[in-house]
Amino acid sequence: KQEVTQIPAALSVPEGENLVLNCSFTDSAIYNLQWFRQDPGKGLTSLLLIQSSQREQTSGRLNASLDKSSGRSTLYIAASQPGDSATYLCAVTDSWGKLQFGAGTQVVVTP
Amino acid sequence: DGGITQSPKYLFRKEGQNVTLSCEQNLNHDAMYWYRQDPGQGLRLIYYSQIVNDFQKGDIAEGYSVSREKKESFPLTVTSAQKNPTAFYLCASSRPPTVDGNTIYFGEGSWLTVV
């Protein structure tokens, strides 16, 4: 059974620092990997989707890498801002479209 | 605007009651999903549907039921058999995974509390 782990569970950084969030998965037979943002009491917003054949995706200050063979993905957020404070979740997709989520990393960016 | 609408936002259930959470999407997506989120935990899949009139159990389907009579709608019923239903429920939809870039979209969620 696929297991997705996110480390650390919580992270606090001062504004301006770069954020590095880690995601690992046990079964490399994935269709894609997605990173999501969740604000308290809200639904999830997709940030980046990396297909299994890709190595990375970039959107603005966000960059996500994927190493399928080692079962790892990393989300980098450059020059963090207080508005980046949220919980970030990663999820891997199997060929049926089912997602397996990690428990998330709660990020606090202090002014 | 295209999106997923969940209602109600907050729902209280008495012991022994069945309650139904609504999920409607106007994104023309074939696939729809229901997830449950408990505090400090990731999302767990309850049920999913790849096409109208068909649905499959997820990892924690016991005590829940769904229907998919229309492409746009995927309601979730929390039955009295679900012993610990207090949680945050999220509905989602996507295109089939064989289509490039099948980003999954989520609704705003529904909070269910047992009183």
Side-chain angles (χ1 to χ4, degrees):
Chain A
K1 182 188 173 188
Q2 177 76 266
E3 291 186 6
V4 181
T5 304
Q6 291 188 246
I7 295 173
L11 185 60
S12 180
V13 299
E15 183 177 2
E17 263 195 25
N18 296 333
L19 285 163
V20 180
L21 309 179
N22 298 300
C23 173
S24 62
F25 46 95
T26 55
D27 186 352
S28 62
I30 63 170
Y31 193 80
N32 61 39
L33 183 144
Q34 296 186 59
W35 282 94
F36 297 87
R37 169 184 172 136
Q38 185 177 30
D39 292 297
K42 300 288 188 180
L44 278 66
T45 301
S46 180
L47 297 173
L48 290 168
L49 181 149
I50 312 175
Q51 300 290 359
S52 62
S53 58
Q54 296 175 319
R55 299 283 292 183
E56 68 176 339
Q57 278 285 348
T58 299
S59 176
R61 292 185 295 113
L62 277 61
N63 174 276
S65 65
L66 174 64
D67 184 344
K68 204 172 73 162
S69 61
S70 67
R72 295 181 194 171
S73 176
T74 303
L75 177 66
Y76 300 91
I77 303 177
S80 61
Q81 304 168 359
D84 294 328
S85 298
T87 297
Y88 292 84
L89 296 98
C90 70
V92 296
T93 305
D94 65 23
S95 58
W96 293 101
K98 291 171 59 181
L99 274 71
Q100 191 73 29
F101 283 84
T105 295
Q106 186 175 13
V107 171
V108 174
V109 180
T110 55
Chain B
D1 287 350
I4 301 175
T5 302
Q6 289 187 238
S7 62
K9 178 69 176 178
Y10 300 97
L11 186 60
F12 298 91
R13 193 195 90 169
K14 294 182 180 178
E15 294 285 348
Q17 265 188 345
N18 293 350
V19 293
T20 297
L21 307 180
S22 170
C23 178
E24 302 279 332
Q25 56 100 356
N26 60 5
L27 300 167
N28 199 33
H29 286 164
D30 288 305
M32 296 188 73
Y33 313 83
W34 274 105
Y35 290 90
R36 168 179 172 145
Q37 187 176 33
D38 293 283
Q41 297 187 31
L43 279 67
R44 292 182 290 168
L45 182 64
I46 305 172
Y47 269 98
Y48 65 103
S49 169
Q50 302 285 3
I51 196 169
V52 175
N53 291 323
D54 186 55
F55 48 83
Q56 305 295 328
K57 292 182 179 180
D59 300 321
I60 55 166
E62 185 176 350
Y64 299 97
S65 67
V66 294
S67 63
R68 186 82 187 279
E69 297 177 0
K70 297 187 300 181
K71 187 175 184 178
E72 303 81 22
S73 179
F74 192 40
L76 173 74
T77 296
V78 184
T79 74
S80 57
Q82 172 50 242
K83 298 306 179 188
N84 185 23
T86 296
F88 188 49
Y89 291 87
L90 287 158
C91 178
S93 72
S94 72
R95 292 183 290 173
T98 51
V99 177
D100 286 341
N102 67 312
T103 301
I104 189 167
Y105 295 87
F106 283 84
E108 286 293 291
S110 293
W111 289 94
L112 174 61
T113 303
V114 174
V115 296

